[in-house]
Amino acid sequence: PTGDPAVAHALPSLPYAFDALEPHIDAKTMETHSQKHHKAYVDNLNKALEGGPDLAGLPIEELLRTVKTSAPDAVKQAIINNGGGHHNHALFWEIMGPNGGGEPTGAIGDAVKEAFGDFAKLKETVKANGVGQFGSGWTWVVWNPTATKLEAVKRPNQDSPLMDGLVPVLGIDVWEHAYYLKYQNRRPSYLDAWWNVVNWKAVEAKLAAAKAGR
């Protein structure tokens, strides 16, 4: 983000090819999801910020942390929807990658064990939240700075955990556009397969930043 409201938020480049997550996430879904859906959130966020010029230069994280109290009523929901959509997807692309998967080790592995007991329990909890999220939304693993540990939560639509003082370190998109071309109505199958593309190094970097308050 920059101080120029005209280019406050931009669509990030995908850090790998559209087909890099095959067979677990298909190339057509990745292309449409990143280039069409995410772009729409960015475009609509920048448009909404025209109605809240004082917020236009804020970094996206700060914007989402303060939107409920600082945004004008006329554009508040549009910023929540599209700002959340932008930040959620930017994180989603970062925490996936080719040659991913496996069990978490190092600092992220330790944090998972402390909060959930083991990786199997983390997967079970994240899946239950994802399957149980009625309609569209996300299943999240967040750092709770008050409890100083990881927690699993779900949120509807594009609502960001940042709005509740939580810091997302891993999230799985359970909107139908994220999986329907390949999995149709089999959301549980998509949630199971997703762990084959998780980039634990990226998740661990998110956790380190969250702990440091960055």
Side-chain angles (χ1 to χ4, degrees), residues 65 208-214:
R65 287 189 186 103
K211 284 182 172 182
R214 299 197 304 274

Side-chain angles (χ1 to χ4, degrees), residues 16-200:
Y16 35 77
F18 296 135
D19 64 356
L21 306 183
E22 292 268 13
H24 311 291
I25 300 179
D26 59 286
K28 179 51 74 175
T29 292
M30 285 301 301
E31 180 179 4
T32 306
H33 200 174
S34 64
Q35 304 305 301
K36 304 283 193 214
H37 290 283
H38 192 175
K39 184 177 186 301
Y41 290 124
V42 172
D43 291 346
N44 289 326
L45 171 61
N46 287 327
K47 185 175 180 182
L49 286 170
E50 292 173 7
D54 292 347
L55 307 175
L58 292 179
I60 186 65
E61 294 85 0
E62 189 177 343
L63 177 65
L64 290 170
R65 287 189 186 103
T66 60
V67 62
K68 286 182 176 178
T69 54
S70 64
D73 288 343
V75 293
K76 182 177 294 184
Q77 194 59 50
I79 293 173
I80 288 171
N81 292 347
N82 295 290
H86 173 34
H87 187 263
N88 294 346
H89 284 88
L91 179 143
F92 194 46
W93 313 138
E94 288 178 24
I95 62 160
M96 296 190 293
N99 307 310
E103 294 217 10
T105 58
I108 185 63
D110 292 343
V112 165
K113 282 179 189 152
E114 181 183 346
F116 299 97
D118 58 25
F119 178 43
K121 184 64 176 176
L122 167 71
K123 286 198 292 185
E124 179 186 322
T125 307
V126 169
K127 181 179 180 180
N129 282 341
V131 172
Q133 173 54 51
F134 181 76
S136 300
W138 291 70
T139 176
W140 294 103
V141 178
V142 299
W143 174 253
N144 183 332
T146 305
T148 64
K149 68 174 187 176
L150 293 176
E151 293 178 353
V153 299
K154 60 183 178 180
R155 290 290 184 273
N157 304 313
Q158 295 294 353
D159 288 8
S160 170
L162 289 168
M163 296 190 300
D164 303 315
L166 305 171
V167 187
V169 299
L170 182 154
I172 309 177
D173 189 347
V174 294
W175 284 61
E176 286 186 345
H177 65 236
Y179 62 87
Y180 214 82
L181 289 181
K182 182 174 180 67
Y183 296 93
Q184 292 81 52
N185 62 334
R186 301 190 309 276
R187 186 186 287 185
S189 298
Y190 158 70
L191 286 163
D192 287 338
W194 187 86
W195 295 101
N196 291 291
V197 298
V198 62
N199 178 348
W200 286 118

